[in-house]
Amino acid sequence: MGTGYVGLVTALAFCHHGHRVTCVDIIPERVDSVSRGKAPFYEPDVAEALARHLGSGLLDATTDTAKAVASTEITFLCVGTPSSADGSYDLGHLGAAARSMGEAIAGLDRHHLVVTKSTVTPTANRSVVLPAITNASGKEAPAGFSLASNPEFLREGSALADALAPDRIVLGIMEGDQAARDLLEGLYAPFDRPLLVTSLEGAELIKLASNSLLAIKVAFANEVANLASSVDADGYQVLEGVGLDHRLGPHFLRAGAGFGGSCFPRGLRALVAFSRSQGAPALLPTAALDQNEVQPAVMVDLVRKALDGNLQGKRVALLGLAFKPDTDDVRETRALPIYKLLLEEGATVVCHDPRAGSNFVELVREEGLAHPDVREGLDEVLREANAAVIQTEWEEYRLLGPAELVSEMAPPRAIVDARRTFDPYMMRAAGVTYWGVGLPPP
Ligand code: UDX
């Protein structure tokens, strides 16, 4: 249930291993789109896999929950859990999905297993999903139906590859529900990945803690890189040195403009709200969120310094609007605060992204700001710009040579690389006024 990133990609991963999957969504246009082989979002490899599995007959899509439940053994709940005002996950869609599951299960004469993949904070399954299914079905778990938690760890941009080869598969199983455990272990056997079986709440907390620790790592890397740039050290080299310690590892230490996306900021806020509900102070997730708010301003400081201390009347190219490369997703993108700060300081901002331009226009509109100047052509954006900020490390940008990058720009032709897309030493050797996150000034 749910044909967003998690739902559709999970479906394709199961099809890959020969399982038959019916995608259910309450939005008819989405079902129609999936049935016609059109993914509702851009994600590498998804369109091809969708065409393949529709063609082989392993995948279909419907709005009819009861029909889908009647012809399957397991339902994965993959509906969105947006943030509430206090940062906690809004479980409205999940509760509604669980109720419709309960109604579908009520008339079944077979056992059905319901598995929550949607990201939630601990106890959501036991306190929201379970009672919703129980009340609507008139049946009790685990005798009448089963409920399990199976969080998803896929990343946008490599979603299908991640879903096919996750580092681990986490199964939260209710006490004594051996049938649910056996069914899920069998389902995942062809994936041949490490499997961890926990309580419902254990699985819920693993997802939240994993995302939060990754985000905290990024925030810490940003602080270290900022420090390095204030002395004669290259923050990227420093973090490489840190990451070479096998106890720390090299991953998620890429300093930049901060983290965005649908998981990290929301997950940290949800962890803060959940911790406080338990009387815990949530010091680390709060600090990571604070650091992430500061980091776009640190990048704008670099632009100001590169433009002699004043952005008034300057033309700035903003390259990369998506929250990361290989996606058209702009949720919580750091491009938005950078864009706003540049405008506030009087700059004219011209934007570019290979995929996310129209989504960024919509995001800016939702903020109540004037229509942003988003151009299709990279050359148009760079032409006459005094500075260019690289906010998303798209491969398309990485392939640009120093001359292509700056030849049409206007003095001082400064490049502010918020993601270290380019090799700074190569850029500086080629005469480019190159400023980068974690680097001392040129
Ligand atoms: C994340 C988790 O990685 C994934 O396990 C979970 O299921 C969903 O949330 P995603 O948000 O798709 O995935 O992207 P990810 O690659 O983790 O990056 C998140 C943000 O952190 C991006 O804005 C990215 O630019 C930033 N980031 C990541 C850094 O700034 N530095 C890094 O070293 C890594």
Side-chain angles (χ1 to χ4, degrees), residues 371-392:
H371 198 286
D373 187 354
V374 179
R375 311 266 179 107
E376 294 253 317
L378 200 44
D379 46 349
E380 287 176 72
V381 178
L382 289 169
R383 193 171 303 133
E384 295 301 315
N386 303 108
V389 185
I390 293 113
Q391 195 291 134
T392 319

Side-chain angles (χ1 to χ4, degrees), residues 157-182:
S158 53
L160 190 54
D162 286 352
L164 285 170
D167 285 355
R168 73 304 206 190
I169 293 159
V170 176
L171 302 177
I173 304 287
M174 284 178 70
E175 323 54 57
D177 196 350
Q178 190 62 37
R181 179 176 178 159
D182 291 346

Side-chain angles (χ1 to χ4, degrees), residues 3 22-27 31 35 60-65 67-68:
T3 54
T22 297
C23 292
V24 185
D25 206 296
I26 51 170
I27 305 172
V31 168
S35 305
D60 62 353
T62 180
T63 51
D64 190 339
T65 303
K67 200 171 125 203

Side-chain angles (χ1 to χ4, degrees), residues 1-13:
M1 289 185 81
T3 54
Y5 279 98
V6 171
L8 188 57
V9 171
T10 300
L12 295 172

Side-chain angles (χ1 to χ4, degrees), residues 296-312 314 316 341-342 344-347 387 389 412 414 416 435:
V298 174
M299 297 303 105
V300 174
D301 281 347
L302 294 185
V303 187
R304 197 184 313 102
K305 283 182 189 146
L307 297 180
D308 301 325
N310 186 2
L311 289 173
Q312 194 67 42
K314 302 283 170 48
V316 179
L341 288 168
L342 290 171
E344 274 166 31
E345 296 200 27
V389 185
V416 178
W435 295 69

Side-chain angles (χ1 to χ4, degrees), residues 6 119 152-158 162 168 207 210-211 214-215 217-218 221-222 236 250-265 292 322-325 331-334 391-393 419:
V6 171
T119 301
E152 181 52 59
F153 300 98
L154 59 81
R155 290 164 299 173
E156 291 181 27
S158 53
D162 286 352
R168 73 304 206 190
K207 164 78 183 181
S210 298
N211 271 355
L214 289 169
K217 229 180 150 183
V218 173
N222 287 339
Y236 262 49
H251 305 290
F252 283 73
L253 288 179
R254 267 183 300 110
F259 51 78
S262 69
C263 281
F264 283 3
N292 204 46
F323 84 94
K324 63 183 272 189
R331 283 177 288 179
E332 311 251 4
T333 175
R334 301 291 83 195
Q391 195 291 134
T392 319
E393 65 278 34
R419 301 284 178 185

